[in-house]
Amino acid sequence: MAADALQGLPVLGDAARLHQVLLNLLGNALKFTEQGSIHLGATLVNQTLDDVTVRFWVQDTGIGIAPEEQEGIFEAFSKVARSRRPVWAERAWG
């Protein structure tokens, strides 16, 4: 289902946290995708009279996350191993 189909749905949630998470995911996609593409999407998963479940996703053609590191990515303050980051990702952008 296209994101346009989500317009007008009455949704109650934490807009600030959703904004923060999506910006973080997009920022990481930009940081680790030197060539290729980045896509942001939303899909209506389920809708009842009382609930709406929407899945937001970011897909990119970047370097990816090693399988052994995937379990920890949702823990606070976790990062991908330095060996998988581009050299410029280590520099400060002050």
Side-chain angles (χ1 to χ4, degrees):
M1 182 175 292
D4 291 342
L6 301 173
Q7 290 183 359
L9 286 176
V11 177
L12 177 63
D14 189 341
R17 180 58 54 103
L18 178 60
H19 185 254
Q20 177 185 17
V21 169
L22 290 176
L23 280 180
N24 187 350
L25 292 172
L26 285 169
N28 285 339
L30 287 168
K31 185 187 306 183
F32 296 108
T33 304
E34 292 184 25
Q35 294 182 350
S37 61
I38 299 170
H39 301 276
L40 168 67
T43 306
L44 179 63
V45 176
N46 188 38
Q47 182 177 7
T48 67
L49 293 175
D50 299 320
D51 286 325
V52 174
T53 303
V54 179
R55 175 177 293 124
F56 294 91
W57 52 269
V58 174
Q59 180 181 13
D60 64 66
T61 57
I63 62 174
I65 300 172
E68 63 272 11
E69 295 177 347
Q70 290 178 8
E71 283 295 317
I73 63 172
F74 294 106
E75 295 175 17
F77 309 112
S78 69
K79 288 188 174 183
V80 172
R82 280 181 186 253
S83 63
R84 295 193 45 89
R85 289 186 234 157
V87 173
W88 59 265
E90 300 297 322
R91 298 184 188 133
W93 298 94

